[in-house]
Amino acid sequence: MRTDPVERFLAALDPGHREAVGAKPREEQEQLAAAWERELEADDELDILDELSPAAAEAEAARRVMDRDAG
């Protein structure tokens, strides 16, 4: 199991976003990973989804973070 937040965040991203985030400086990757972890912790809907499919919850949180980053 991956323990590095950046690695876990990258694994949760879709391939296109994974490549784009992987090309960013490490500091920016860490900021996005921290936002992703906050999203996972703060959203009750993701808690429910996490019980059914942890990978789906992580992917949804990653999508939300990338949507905010793009906006």
Side-chain angles (χ1 to χ4, degrees):
M1 177 185 220
R2 294 180 176 106
T3 58
D4 177 50
V6 172
E7 286 182 27
R8 289 182 51 234
F9 175 60
L10 289 171
L13 290 168
D14 64 75
H17 283 122
R18 187 177 306 125
E19 186 175 320
V21 172
K24 293 179 185 266
R26 177 69 183 193
E27 183 177 321
E28 193 170 343
Q29 291 176 9
E30 289 171 351
Q31 291 171 352
L32 289 168
W36 172 72
E37 287 185 319
R38 286 190 301 273
E39 184 75 25
L40 283 169
E41 292 172 2
D43 193 305
D44 291 339
E45 288 179 15
L46 291 176
D47 284 343
I48 293 167
L49 181 58
D50 186 52
E51 291 179 19
L52 300 172
S53 173
E58 290 182 351
E60 175 60 17
R63 184 193 63 76
R64 292 177 186 183
V65 167
M66 294 310 297
D67 284 352
R68 280 196 302 270
D69 187 59

